[in-house]
Amino acid sequence: MHVADPADPRLADYTDLTDVALRSRREPAEGLFMAEGEKVIRRALLAGHAARSLLLTPRWAEQMREVWENLAAPVYVVEPEVAREVTGYHVHRGALAALHRPVLPAVGGLLTGAEAGAPRRVAVLEDIVDHANVGAAFRNAAALGVDAVLLSPRCADPLYRRAVKVSMGAVLQLPWTRFQSYPRDLALLGEHGYTTAALCLADDSVTLDELAARRPDRLALLLGTEGEGLSPHALRGSDLRVRIPMTAGVDSLNVAAASAVAFYATRP
């Protein structure tokens, strides 16, 4: 249905998308998240996420007709200038979807695996606050065969619009959840048979090549916040401290780049 008024209450899910603080509070509280762009929306729906509604400009409404014509959710077609007024920015790809936020599994349940079997490799993201870094880490994990991702409570929301966009929808396909009691619940990894490897610059660390050569049956790779890295508790509780060898006087990589290197080096 065409909507011409940017103040139409039916468009409320899409207001103020550029206000990170507001959306980071509002979306979890209201049980929704946003997907932007045709590819990401398609991946979200294919992964089984239920749509609340779609907001499309005329061009994308026609191009995505087979995506939405059988959806039970309403589809709002708006002119580009209306979309900009509602969202607060120019919606370059002309397509947004508001989706129902899934209920996250318990950490123990995800590690047990139930029907799919226990994940062999998991990534643990501790207090990574940049949504783009979280999205990139998820994309790297999906591309390089990591089976699941665990997040500390203070880690940025993987379902925030920018994280979903940067991940190219990987956050909608890869199993993930949050620790409820952190860092105490890191002990669950050992209880489920994982070797925990903390990526850091410690003097007593082994190289990533050495870790890869050990080929642990189950491996959890811990990556810390952008500035300070992993917390002392995470470092103390890990089985191994691991460094990526570097040259030219460079001492560290961006956490998203480090995750790609670590995931690739330890692939089965």
Side-chain angles (χ1 to χ4, degrees):
M1 64 189 75
H2 286 266
V3 179
D5 182 2
D8 192 308
R10 291 174 295 179
L11 306 183
D13 280 353
Y14 302 93
T15 57
D16 301 313
L17 290 186
T18 58
D19 190 329
V20 178
L22 173 63
R23 298 298 303 200
S24 295
R25 293 192 305 272
R26 179 185 167 193
E27 291 181 13
E30 296 183 15
L32 76 147
F33 71 96
M34 307 300 300
E36 180 177 3
E38 178 188 9
K39 289 182 180 178
V40 174
I41 292 171
R42 287 179 184 274
R43 288 175 183 174
L45 296 174
L46 283 173
H49 294 279
R52 290 162 60 117
S53 66
L54 272 65
L55 181 73
L56 306 173
T57 57
R59 172 195 167 193
W60 289 101
E62 185 58 35
Q63 186 159 325
M64 296 177 63
R65 178 174 296 277
E66 87 284 3
V67 174
W68 58 258
E69 61 185 354
N70 294 317
L71 285 182
V75 177
Y76 305 121
V77 180
V78 300
E79 294 301 321
E81 56 271 22
V82 174
R84 181 182 55 77
E85 280 195 62
V86 172
T87 63
Y89 73 105
H90 176 59
V91 185
H92 300 283
R93 296 176 182 175
L96 289 164
L99 300 115
H100 291 281
R101 183 171 285 256
V103 177
L104 295 179
V107 172
L110 188 150
L111 295 177
T112 300
E115 297 177 5
R120 288 190 59 193
R121 285 195 307 159
V122 301
V124 178
L125 308 184
E126 182 188 75
D127 297 354
I128 298 176
V129 297
D130 185 275
H131 291 98
N133 281 337
V134 169
F138 266 83
R139 186 174 184 181
N140 295 339
L144 298 170
V146 172
D147 302 305
V149 179
L150 304 175
L151 290 82
S152 70
R154 291 190 297 183
C155 207
D157 182 12
L159 293 180
Y160 180 69
R161 176 177 57 89
R162 178 152 175 75
V164 175
K165 182 178 178 180
V166 170
S167 81
M168 285 302 294
V171 299
L172 309 176
Q173 300 166 308
L174 197 64
W176 68 275
T177 194
R178 286 190 187 270
F179 290 102
Q180 293 301 305
S181 180
Y182 191 89
R184 184 180 65 187
D185 283 350
L186 281 173
L188 291 169
L189 293 165
E191 293 172 12
H192 284 80
Y194 289 87
T195 296
T196 53
L199 274 291
C200 65
L201 303 175
D203 292 336
D204 61 349
S205 59
V206 302
T207 68
L208 184 58
D209 295 324
E210 291 176 78
L211 171 64
R214 298 185 187 195
R215 301 185 67 83
D217 184 54
R218 292 188 184 180
L219 176 64
L221 293 161
L222 280 63
L223 296 134
T225 188
E226 290 86 351
E228 311 228 339
L230 288 164
S231 66
H233 186 100
L235 293 172
R236 286 195 303 270
S238 296
D239 299 313
L240 295 168
R241 301 182 184 193
V242 180
R243 71 182 183 279
I244 299 172
M246 299 185 201
T247 61
V250 177
D251 63 353
S252 65
L253 298 174
N254 166 274
V255 65
S259 74
V261 173
F263 299 159
Y264 179 79
T266 59
R267 68 197 187 282

